[in-house]
Amino acid sequence: MAHKWDHGRALTAAEFSGGRDHAVTWLKRLGFQVKALKNPDWARENPDWARDEVILACHLVMANDWKGLDAQDSRVVELSARLQLLPIHAEADRNEKFRNPNDVARKTFDIATRHPDYRGKPTNGGVLDVEVLNEFLVRPDQMTEAAHLIRQGLATGEFQDLALADDEELDDDFSAPEGRLLLFRHRARERNKSLRKKKIDSVLRKGGSLACEACGFDFEEIYGDRGAGYVECHHVVPLHAAGEGRTKLGDLALICANCHRMIHRRAPWPTPEELRVTIEKRRSEIRRDSVAIVRQRGAGTDQASAPER
């Protein structure tokens, strides 16, 4: 109905995507004020768990030998307090039970009962629980570092100071395996104007051009003066590896807007070099298919023009 107010027609059930949190963000962008009601039964649920929250819970379960924890466990109580500080969910979306120890304890069992070695019946978890669990099993060191960086960002208050553009806040595709908050940090580094200028100056001093390092697109070559000096800057170092160290120019890559979008679209992120290989492979496939089509057409023309015997 809110969509009808803004666009003239109501959305159908088939057009919904992203869950409640996505819908709330979309409505707020349209100017609606959205609040969680505490009286109706449907409004008593907490917001869906975000990836950052599941990472912290999964790290706790891993530290407990992949076993769930009770609500009275001091580690659960401590994690509950931390989750209540994460700047992910709006205050209006939090009720009096938001991420309390009972909620956190249930999440630890949702994760623990999805472990490959668990032989009982799994509890009611979500797809995200399984995804994060598998990431911890495949790359435990990196995901442990991601959990450490999330905790560190909370302790320093860094996440509260980070801000993204409104369109990025809504974009479900714009993601990172280490979580949304570390993505915020990553994007903040990419937007460091002084670093971007130093990277561009460094490339030009060495006689290079501002062509995309992945696809080769050059804004000035295509758009003339309007595109002169324009290129986007991408922080290549993975979030779990970047840590708190200073960003070096070698950590940055100059890429076009399209390739930048494709890199960030879905985790795991490819490096510009990996994306370049993908692009070149795709271009080769297109050329090969084009040649095959031309040959087929040529063969058909030859057959049609051949004299009858």
Side-chain angles (χ1 to χ4, degrees):
M1 294 307 298
H3 186 275
K4 182 177 180 179
W5 176 86
D6 191 61
H7 296 283
R9 68 176 185 84
L11 289 175
T12 65
E15 293 176 291
F16 280 95
S17 66
R20 183 179 63 186
D21 287 347
H22 182 271
V24 168
T25 307
W26 182 82
L27 288 170
K28 288 179 177 177
R29 190 183 184 192
L30 291 179
F32 289 92
Q33 184 178 8
V34 183
K35 293 185 178 180
L37 302 178
K38 297 181 180 180
N39 293 326
D41 291 337
W42 59 265
R44 291 177 183 169
E45 298 179 1
N46 282 319
D48 294 337
W49 281 64
R51 180 177 292 272
D52 307 71
E53 297 174 300
V54 178
I55 286 174
L56 293 180
C58 194
H59 182 248
L60 177 57
V61 176
M62 183 178 72
N64 196 46
D65 296 327
W66 295 111
K67 296 180 177 64
L69 296 91
D70 295 328
Q72 294 74 28
D73 193 297
S74 60
R75 294 167 293 177
V76 170
V77 174
E78 186 267 344
L79 179 57
S80 170
R82 286 187 181 274
L83 293 177
Q84 292 172 11
L85 295 176
L86 284 179
I88 296 177
H89 306 288
E91 288 297 326
D93 299 332
R94 306 171 183 230
N95 59 29
E96 65 278 4
K97 296 181 179 179
F98 176 77
R99 301 300 181 258
N100 64 16
N102 287 328
D103 189 25
V104 175
R106 282 196 300 271
K107 179 56 64 175
T108 66
F109 278 94
D110 290 341
I111 295 170
T113 57
R114 296 303 181 101
H115 191 278
D117 294 338
Y118 184 76
R119 293 292 176 259
K121 182 179 179 181
T123 58
N124 294 327
V127 175
L128 185 59
D129 299 337
V130 178
E131 289 179 358
V132 174
L133 168 62
N134 289 334
E135 289 173 9
F136 267 93
L137 294 176
V138 172
R139 49 191 190 109
D141 293 340
Q142 293 92 331
M143 295 304 292
T144 295
E145 179 62 16
H148 168 71
L149 290 175
I150 294 173
R151 286 175 171 268
Q152 191 176 59
L154 272 176
T156 61
E158 177 186 7
F159 293 137
Q160 279 76 5
D161 298 330
L162 297 178
L164 287 183
D166 290 339
D167 60 332
E168 290 174 2
E169 181 183 355
L170 273 172
D171 195 340
D172 288 338
D173 280 345
F174 203 60
S175 63
E178 291 87 355
R180 198 171 190 81
L181 293 176
L182 294 187
L183 171 62
F184 283 13
R185 168 190 280 174
H186 185 100
R187 294 293 285 153
R189 291 187 179 188
E190 291 181 344
R191 290 202 172 102
N192 187 318
K193 294 182 179 179
S194 63
L195 276 177
R196 176 181 177 273
K197 184 178 185 304
K198 289 178 181 179
K199 178 66 176 181
I200 290 176
D201 291 344
S202 174
V203 171
L204 294 178
R205 278 198 307 270
K206 296 177 182 178
S209 68
L210 301 186
C212 175
E213 295 182 26
C215 72
F217 184 87
D218 189 315
F219 285 91
E220 184 174 12
E221 180 181 331
I222 302 300
Y223 298 111
D225 292 341
R226 179 178 291 274
Y230 181 80
V231 69
E232 296 195 2
C233 194
H234 171 61
H235 196 283
V236 180
V237 181
L239 302 182
H240 59 261
E244 291 297 315
R246 298 182 61 184
T247 300
K248 303 175 183 178
L249 294 185
D251 298 335
L252 303 173
L254 299 181
I255 56 179
C256 72
N258 280 348
C259 288
H260 202 182
R261 191 69 177 181
M262 289 298 100
I263 286 176
H264 280 296
R265 186 184 182 198
R266 187 168 54 247
W269 294 348
T271 64
E273 174 62 22
E274 291 170 340
L275 187 61
R276 184 184 66 80
V277 172
T278 299
I279 292 172
E280 290 181 351
K281 180 181 178 182
R282 179 59 181 154
R283 285 173 174 169
S284 296
E285 292 173 347
I286 293 174
R287 285 194 296 268
R288 185 180 64 248
D289 292 343
S290 298
V291 170
I293 292 174
V294 170
R295 287 177 177 173
Q296 289 177 356
R297 289 176 177 174
T301 302
D302 292 341
Q303 291 177 1
S305 60
E308 296 182 0
R309 295 183 180 180

